[in-house]
Amino acid sequence: MRKVIAGLLLIPLFLFFASQAGAAETEERQWQDESVYYISIDRFMNGDNSNDTVEEEAYHGGDLEGIIKQLDYIKEMGFTAIEISPIMANQDEGYHGQWINDFQAVDEHFGTMEKAEDLVEAAHELDLKVMFDFVVSHTGSDHPWREDPDKNDWYSEAETSYPEAWRENMALLNLDNPQVQDYLLDTAEFWVKETGVDAFHLHSAVPLSSEFYSKLEERVQSVQDGFNLFTESVKGDNDSSVSFQTVTRETFQSSGTSLEDLYTVWEENVEHKAEPYETLRYIDGPSTGRFTHLAVEEGQNPITRWKLALTYQFTIPGIPAMYFGTELPLDDGGDPSTIKMMNFKAGDEQLKQRIDNLTSMRTQFPALRRGDYEEMYNEDGLAIFKRSYKDQTMIIAINNAEETKAAVLSGLQDGQQLRGLLHDGMVRQQENGEYRLGMERETADVFVVERDEGYNWLFIGFVGGVLSLFVIAVTVISLKNRKTEKS
C-alpha cells in the first residue's frame, strides 16, 4: 500500500518536469554553451601531501590530485567546464604559475604530467571540459635562458599592466623572434598531446600579434580537431573581457548604481570581436582581487551583490567563468596577491542556490547561450534585457535600485505570460494590452516568455485527485493500525 502511495505522489512531479523538458534542443556542443569554474590550483585543495613544501610559505598545498577529488563538487554545482591556473614548472615562490622555469614540465608542487593527464581523463568521464592557462609572453626572471648567450634576443622590454606582485620576478619574451614563436608552438602541441586538454587560455603580459595567434591556433587544431584558444591580448583587438569585468565590478559593488553601462559593453563586443559569443566573462580572478571585498568596503551585503552580478554574468552572451570560492564567498582583504585557500566546509546556501539555478537555466534554455541580445529598458537602476533564439524568448530583469521599480514592456505579442525562474513571479498581459514588470529592490529574475494558457485545470484536478487518494489511503491505514492496537 505504501509503495502505491509513493508512486501516486511521484506522478505529478514527473508530469511537471516533463512539461519543462522540451525547452532545450539537442545541438552540437560549443564553448559558448559552457559554464566555467576557474581554479587557482595552489589555493584550491591539497589532495597529495607528498608534494608539499613546508619551508616555502608561498605554496599552500593545492595540487592536481586535489582538483580530481573535487570534480564531483564542481559538477554538482552545474558547471560544464573547468579552467586551471598555469601548472607549468615555476621558479621559487611562483605559486600563481606566472614565473615559468620550464614550459614543458608540471610544477613539482602540483604533481606530474601523468597526474595532469589523469585530471583531464577524470573530468571527461564526468562530461567536463578542461582548459589550461598557458603563459606565452614571459618567463621567470631566473629562467636558464637568461644565462644563455645564444638566447640574448629571446627577451625584450615592454610595459605591462600585470599585478606588481607578479612583475617583480617576470622577464618578457621577444614574441617577434621566430625561434621564440617556434618554441611556444612546439610547447602548445606538447601539452595537447600529453594531456588531451580541450582548450588554452593564453596569458600574455603584452598584446599578441594576430599572425602569431593564427599560427598557434592552426598548430593546436592540427593536433586535436575542435581545440579552442582564448585570449584578451591580440594587437588591435578590443579587450572586451576586461571591459566586461571592469564595468560589472563597478556597477554591482553597491546598490543605487546605474546599470546604463552594461549594454555598452555588449555593443563594443559586437563591434570589435569576431566571435563575441565565445568571449570568457570573468567578474574576478587572481589578478583583480575578490569582488566580495569590494562589496564589503562599500558596506554592502556581499551575498546580495553577488546574486545580482552573477545573474548578469550568466545571462549575457559569452562564456561565464566563475572564480573558485565565489560560492562561499571568499574575501581576500583587498590584496589579490594573498589568495586564500578554499574552505569546502563553508558556504552560503542562498548563493549556492543562485549559482545552481543559473547553471541549470543555461543548460536548459538555449536562448541564454545562443540567443540574440536586446536591451528593452534601462532607467534608474532597473535594466531589462531580452534573449531570443529560434522560438524561445527569455527576459532578464535586474533592479539595482534601493526601491521597488517597474517598467512597461513593449514588443511582446498578445496573449503571453512571463514566468519567473528565480522568484516564481508571473507577469500577464493587462486589460489595456500592456505587460508591466515590477521588481523589488536589489533583486534579479529570469523570465520565460510563453503563451498564456490560463490555469491548467486538468493538471490541477489531477494533482488534487492524487492528494485526495493520499488522504484516503492514510486514513485507511490509520484506522487499520488502531484496530490492530485494540486487538
Side-chain angles (χ1 to χ4, degrees):
M1 185 65 181
R2 291 179 182 176
K3 291 182 179 180
V4 173
I5 294 172
L8 290 171
L9 288 174
L10 287 174
I11 290 174
L13 294 178
F14 285 130
L15 289 175
F16 175 77
F17 285 112
S19 69
Q20 312 300 311
E25 298 180 25
T26 302
E27 297 177 285
E28 184 181 354
R29 182 173 165 190
Q30 305 290 337
W31 267 98
Q32 71 187 64
D33 299 317
E34 311 300 339
S35 298
V36 180
Y37 187 82
Y38 180 76
I39 299 168
S40 287
I41 181 171
D42 181 62
R43 305 301 162 88
F44 188 60
M45 180 178 178
N46 190 347
D48 182 1
N49 294 327
S50 68
N51 55 36
D52 294 353
T53 307
V54 179
E55 65 272 15
E56 292 188 40
E57 294 183 3
Y59 289 93
H60 287 197
D63 49 34
L64 293 166
E65 181 63 27
I67 298 176
I68 292 173
K69 290 180 176 179
Q70 292 298 333
L71 288 176
D72 286 330
Y73 168 82
I74 296 168
K75 179 75 174 180
E76 287 170 4
M77 283 191 289
F79 289 93
T80 60
I82 58 174
E83 178 182 353
I84 304 172
S85 64
I87 63 173
M88 296 174 180
N90 266 239
Q91 66 187 48
D92 290 347
E93 300 187 355
Y95 70 91
H96 40 64
Q98 298 292 332
W99 299 338
I100 305 295
N101 196 50
D102 186 343
F103 278 94
Q104 297 185 10
V106 173
D107 192 287
E108 63 181 2
H109 299 88
F110 303 150
T112 62
M113 189 65 68
E114 291 75 18
K115 188 58 67 175
E117 183 180 1
D118 290 344
L119 167 60
V120 174
E121 183 178 346
H124 286 172
E125 288 177 358
L126 292 174
D127 200 25
L128 292 168
K129 290 185 179 179
V130 182
M131 175 169 24
F132 286 165
D133 283 359
F134 186 166
V135 174
V136 292
S137 69
H138 50 281
T139 69
S141 58
D142 294 335
H143 194 287
W145 293 343
R146 301 281 284 170
E147 303 299 325
D148 187 343
D150 294 331
K151 292 183 171 59
N152 287 335
D153 58 350
W154 278 43
Y155 288 90
S156 67
E157 299 291 334
E159 293 294 325
T160 172
S161 60
Y162 261 39
E164 185 175 350
W166 296 358
R167 295 199 306 266
E168 181 182 358
N169 292 306
M170 270 174 46
L172 290 174
L173 290 168
N174 177 10
L175 295 179
D176 293 327
N177 186 325
Q179 291 180 309
V180 174
Q181 290 190 9
D182 287 342
Y183 179 84
L184 292 171
L185 292 173
D186 291 342
T187 297
E189 179 177 338
F190 168 82
W191 281 96
V192 177
K193 286 182 174 179
E194 288 294 320
T195 67
V197 67
D198 303 293
F200 291 143
H201 186 183
L202 304 180
H203 279 229
S204 181
V206 295
L208 306 174
S209 69
S210 57
E211 292 79 10
F212 173 59
Y213 179 84
S214 296
K215 287 180 184 178
L216 194 55
E217 185 175 49
E218 182 179 354
R219 175 67 73 87
V220 293
Q221 291 184 352
S222 71
V223 178
Q224 185 170 303
D225 186 43
F227 194 92
N228 272 67
L229 291 181
F230 297 94
T231 183
E232 295 79 48
S233 301
V234 176
K235 291 179 181 177
D237 206 356
N238 178 54
D239 196 346
S240 63
S241 179
V242 173
S243 63
F244 167 86
Q245 187 177 63
T246 301
V247 169
T248 303
R249 288 164 69 88
E250 292 177 351
T251 298
F252 289 110
Q253 66 184 10
S254 62
S255 61
T257 306
S258 170
L259 304 182
E260 292 182 358
D261 289 338
L262 297 183
Y263 197 68
T264 303
V265 172
W266 171 244
E267 291 178 319
E268 291 178 353
N269 281 199
V270 173
E271 181 179 355
H272 296 284
K273 283 288 183 182
E275 298 177 339
Y277 281 75
E278 293 201 352
T279 298
L280 292 165
R281 305 290 189 190
Y282 302 91
I283 293 178
D284 55 6
S287 63
T288 61
R290 294 278 178 179
F291 175 75
T292 300
H293 190 72
L294 295 181
V296 171
E297 283 188 318
E298 295 288 332
Q300 301 281 309
N301 182 340
I303 304 303
T304 301
R305 298 289 91 213
W306 264 121
K307 287 163 73 174
L308 298 185
L310 287 168
T311 302
Y312 175 60
Q313 180 189 24
F314 276 76
T315 56
I316 187 176
I319 307 166
M322 192 188 84
Y323 195 28
F324 85 101
T326 293
E327 66 273 23
L328 300 185
L330 282 179
D331 184 346
D332 60 7
D335 184 357
S337 66
T338 58
I339 306 170
K340 291 185 178 181
M341 198 73 177
M342 181 75 168
N343 180 1
F344 290 93
K345 295 181 180 180
D348 182 88
E349 288 305 316
Q350 284 189 51
L351 197 50
K352 286 182 178 179
Q353 185 62 53
R354 176 59 56 94
I355 293 166
D356 179 69
N357 288 339
L358 292 170
T359 55
S360 297
M361 283 190 294
R362 274 184 58 86
T363 299
Q364 183 179 1
F365 297 102
L368 294 178
R369 309 187 308 270
R370 304 187 174 206
D372 56 20
Y373 189 61
E374 176 188 345
E375 183 178 73
M376 302 182 72
Y377 182 92
N378 199 334
E379 292 182 17
D380 302 324
L382 173 63
I384 302 174
F385 306 103
K386 182 168 70 173
R387 302 289 309 272
S388 301
Y389 182 72
K390 295 184 177 179
D391 60 349
Q392 187 178 95
T393 299
M394 313 288 288
I395 289 178
I396 301 96
I398 304 174
N399 182 16
N400 197 43
E402 296 178 340
E403 60 275 334
T404 298
K405 294 288 182 179
V408 175
L409 304 183
S410 59
L412 296 177
Q413 296 180 358
D414 290 335
Q416 303 294 305
Q417 67 180 20
L418 281 60
R419 176 167 54 86
L421 301 177
L422 295 177
H423 296 289
D424 299 322
M426 186 73 74
V427 177
R428 287 190 166 90
Q429 190 173 24
Q430 298 180 352
E431 292 183 0
N432 61 4
E434 294 181 346
Y435 291 89
R436 185 176 179 81
L437 195 162
M439 297 291 296
E440 294 183 8
R441 58 171 293 174
E442 299 181 75
T443 58
D445 208 344
V446 181
F447 297 86
V448 181
V449 179
E450 56 194 9
R451 183 155 188 82
D452 188 353
E453 301 289 354
Y455 296 106
N456 189 340
W457 292 111
L458 179 62
F459 179 76
I460 293 172
F462 178 80
V463 173
V466 170
L467 291 176
S468 298
L469 288 174
F470 172 73
V471 172
I472 293 170
V474 170
T475 303
V476 170
I477 292 173
S478 299
L479 291 173
K480 285 184 177 180
N481 288 340
R482 289 179 184 178
K483 289 181 180 180
T484 303
E485 289 174 359
K486 290 179 179 179
S487 62

